[in-house]
Amino acid sequence: MGHKIGGCAVAGNGENAAWAVPGRGFLEVACDESGSDGENLTGGNTDVFAHASVRLPVESAATHVQEVRDRIRSPASEYKANHLLREKHRAVLEWLLAPAGPIHGNAQVHLIEKAYFVVDRAVDLLLGDAADALGLYRAGRREFGDELWREFLTAANQLLRVRNDGAPQEPVDAFFRTVQVLRRADCRTEVAETLDRLAMSRSRADSYRTRLVDGPTLIPVLNPLLPAIVNTAAFWSAGGRSVRLVHDRQNMLTPERIAWIEETARRAGIGFGGLRLVHSVLDPRVQLADFLAGIARRIASDELNGQGDPALTALLRPYVDPASIWGDERSWAVLERTRAQERSPVR
């Protein structure tokens, strides 16, 4: 299981934009996401964020999308993952994901467990690195129980989110009250030292909230889309190839954030040749990525909540990015791609 990469280079924006990086040898990969709830990661509609990518020729992707339509035969003008997730279409879903199916070996999905992402980002902000986040997250529910741990997650989410309808410092006060409650609950836990360090990080939290009041932030700490895009580029550019992405239009992907990604990419050394935004209905590759993202989010969420379907989890496993941001140990043990299943992207 991996963590964040600082960024990736972007060299284009707009549906008909020309690539700014000339030359041959680029991998072109189409992307879409599922599970976006803005900054409400602990109380939104979904507990998993999935960012899928597909590398296929446009013509092949169009053929596969049409086959999905022919097999399902819904009158809907636009097909979504929910069509494939209906029990009556189970055979179509299994066909799409199967080793002999149309996207196997040419697709990947980066998963983010939202609650863990909140803890990871809070620990990184307040302690200067995220090294203790995984231990805190895994011990939290076990040591403190569902109610106290849920209060901590909610307070951490409120501390980090940009929007705040109350007093400017209320999220800070609430978070540190919760930390004190956890410290008093059991000072003998294996995470007592981490909690002690968090309790002493008030100045960092105050500075963070002051910066938010002073002006809008370019890169929201809690938005999972940007690190997911970076990890997607890193995955497909492994081995030295440059990758350029075709992505469904997203309000988050403003020119300013794209410029930030470009600058960060140079420092990260990721071979990223550009990002082009399109309407998903106009690119069948993005439609396939949309299918995979929605399917992966549902399967991974079911597994996270102890309701997984072993057959579907096994079909998803070869697609899961080893660098996914996932904290739950039990579910990751069955979602994680095994060494035998790891393979380089088709070139």
Side-chain angles (χ1 to χ4, degrees):
M1 179 177 53
H3 290 278
K4 284 70 50 201
I5 302 172
C8 48
V10 181
N13 189 9
E15 196 166 321
N16 299 309
W19 296 112
V21 182
R24 297 182 177 181
F26 284 111
L27 278 171
E28 188 165 84
V29 179
C31 309
D32 205 351
E33 55 81 21
S34 177
S36 178
D37 285 318
E39 292 186 293
N40 189 15
L41 300 191
T42 60
N45 297 317
T46 60
D47 50 14
V48 172
F49 177 88
H51 185 265
S53 52
V54 173
R55 189 262 183 165
L56 285 171
V58 174
E59 296 79 7
S60 297
T63 298
H64 301 323
V65 170
Q66 185 59 50
E67 184 163 359
V68 169
R69 297 184 67 92
D70 292 343
R71 288 173 179 246
I72 290 179
R73 297 188 178 280
S74 167
S77 59
E78 182 180 2
Y79 277 35
K80 307 294 287 185
N82 283 339
H83 287 89
L84 291 100
L85 288 165
R86 294 169 186 166
E87 186 58 36
K88 64 180 179 179
H89 299 314
R90 172 70 176 249
V92 186
L93 174 59
E94 293 182 349
W95 161 78
L96 182 70
L97 297 178
I103 63 174
H104 193 269
N106 288 290
Q108 173 256 19
V109 62
H110 182 78
L111 299 174
I112 295 179
E113 183 191 352
K114 291 184 177 181
Y116 173 57
F117 188 66
V118 169
V119 175
D120 181 88
R121 296 293 75 213
V123 171
D124 185 67
L125 173 73
L126 298 175
L127 301 186
D129 66 68
D132 294 327
L134 186 60
L136 175 61
Y137 182 78
R138 288 182 172 175
R141 181 175 295 176
R142 181 182 70 246
E143 299 289 352
F144 303 113
D146 286 346
E147 184 176 353
L148 282 182
W149 184 240
R150 174 55 57 182
E151 290 178 6
F152 174 78
L153 292 176
T154 301
N157 196 152
Q158 290 299 113
L159 172 69
L160 297 179
R161 69 184 301 175
V162 173
R163 182 177 177 180
N164 174 35
D165 296 327
Q169 290 305 111
E170 174 55 27
V172 181
D173 295 337
F175 176 78
F176 285 96
R177 285 196 302 267
T178 306
V179 170
Q180 292 298 348
V181 169
L182 295 187
R183 293 175 75 202
R184 290 194 298 266
D186 187 351
C187 63
R188 297 168 298 171
T189 68
E190 63 185 80
V191 296
E193 182 180 351
T194 300
L195 291 173
D196 289 344
R197 294 174 61 207
L198 286 174
M200 295 185 292
S201 66
R202 174 80 190 224
S203 61
R204 282 178 176 261
D206 286 333
S207 296
Y208 172 73
R209 295 305 310 181
T210 298
R211 291 196 300 273
L212 294 183
V213 172
D214 288 343
T217 181
L218 178 62
I219 308 299
V221 171
L222 285 181
N223 189 283
L225 178 61
L226 300 181
I229 290 176
V230 173
N231 276 285
T232 295
F235 174 85
W236 290 102
S237 65
R241 290 288 295 272
S242 290
V243 60
R244 54 190 185 187
L245 302 182
V246 178
H247 205 292
D248 187 27
R249 286 184 174 275
Q250 299 287 339
N251 291 335
M252 175 58 55
L253 296 175
T254 63
E256 293 79 12
R257 293 191 178 106
I258 288 175
W260 174 87
I261 292 172
E262 180 178 17
E263 174 59 28
T264 310
R266 295 194 184 100
R267 297 195 300 267
I270 296 172
F272 194 15
L275 175 65
R276 179 162 57 104
L277 303 180
V278 301
H279 289 294
S280 61
V281 295
L282 301 179
D283 193 315
R285 301 170 300 173
V286 177
Q287 292 174 48
L288 287 176
D290 178 57
F291 293 164
L292 180 58
I295 290 166
R297 182 189 60 76
R298 173 76 67 82
I299 294 173
S301 179
D302 286 346
E303 200 62 62
L304 177 64
N305 290 286
Q307 301 172 351
D309 182 317
L312 293 182
T313 299
L315 287 173
L316 176 65
R317 193 177 300 125
Y319 297 92
V320 175
D321 182 4
S324 293
I325 302 172
W326 200 270
D328 182 70
E329 189 171 16
R330 181 203 55 79
S331 56
W332 184 250
V334 293
L335 287 168
E336 184 180 17
R337 185 186 312 179
T338 65
R339 186 171 297 277
Q341 291 171 319
E342 290 186 10
R343 55 188 293 181
S344 298
V346 176
R347 298 304 191 190

